[in-house]
Amino acid sequence: MTTETVAIRPRLKNWLPAYGVYAAIVLLVLYNVAFTPNFLAWSNLRIQLIQVAPVVIVALGMALVIGTEGIDLSVGSVMALAAALIPLYLGYGVLAAILVSLLAGVLVGLVNGTLVARVGLQPIVATLALFVGGRGLALVISGGRLKDIRNDDLIFLGSGDFLGLPMLVWIAALLVLVVAFVVRRTVFGRRLLAIGGKPAGHRAGRRAGQAGADHRVRALLGARLDRRPARRGPHPVQ
């Protein structure tokens, strides 16, 4: 074994955790470009963008929770609950229906955050309880049936285009910029990362005048704000 080989191994070991996922994505894309017919066709890329955008939105909220060394298992339940509530309030307008669904997400996040930060439950336990309860509540609200939504404004948000790109992509991009600004440029974002970094960061957050428990509650509230259904009806409740 040469000296160069020995020197490369530590570098590769450090490189893989930081950039391995990006390398895997590049390889996956190159494979599909080479072997999947019409992979680069705009119709296919548009479908991929529409399917990925909701995942990105949910991942932004989850990132805030993970920043506090937590985890959230109730993501799907909150999306199902929001999807079940929207048809009930569409008669008051699209904005009112979306605000009601967001309020429901905030309430779930407040319950999760209180159980974790104030009661002292482990995040996986607290959010697992809401995972089960949220889906049950969504099932009751929807009556166990699919809700067929025919509102043009809501359909436009889920499948319409603006300047040649799906609206979902614009919404996801805007939220990415907002979350990036909050995490990198605000005191709240830096304290959030400090709490998840080391126990000393938690104590530093307290000395700075903001308890780490409050940041955990706010992180889970922020995660709930991202659970907005933006798909074309009907909306399944799983």
Side-chain angles (χ1 to χ4, degrees), residues 16-90:
L16 283 176
Y19 302 104
V21 64
Y22 305 110
I25 292 175
V26 170
L27 290 176
L28 184 62
V29 170
L30 292 177
Y31 175 85
N32 280 280
V33 169
F35 298 103
T36 302
N38 302 318
F39 179 77
L40 294 180
W42 170 242
S43 58
N44 178 64
L45 294 179
R46 185 179 183 279
I47 293 174
Q48 298 300 322
L49 289 173
I50 292 176
Q51 291 178 340
V52 168
V55 179
V56 172
I57 295 173
V58 172
L60 291 172
M62 185 70 76
L64 297 178
V65 178
I66 294 175
T68 64
E69 284 191 317
I71 193 67
D72 187 356
L73 301 180
S74 62
V75 174
S77 296
V78 178
M79 294 182 70
L81 180 60
L85 287 172
I86 279 185
L88 300 180
Y89 294 91
L90 270 179

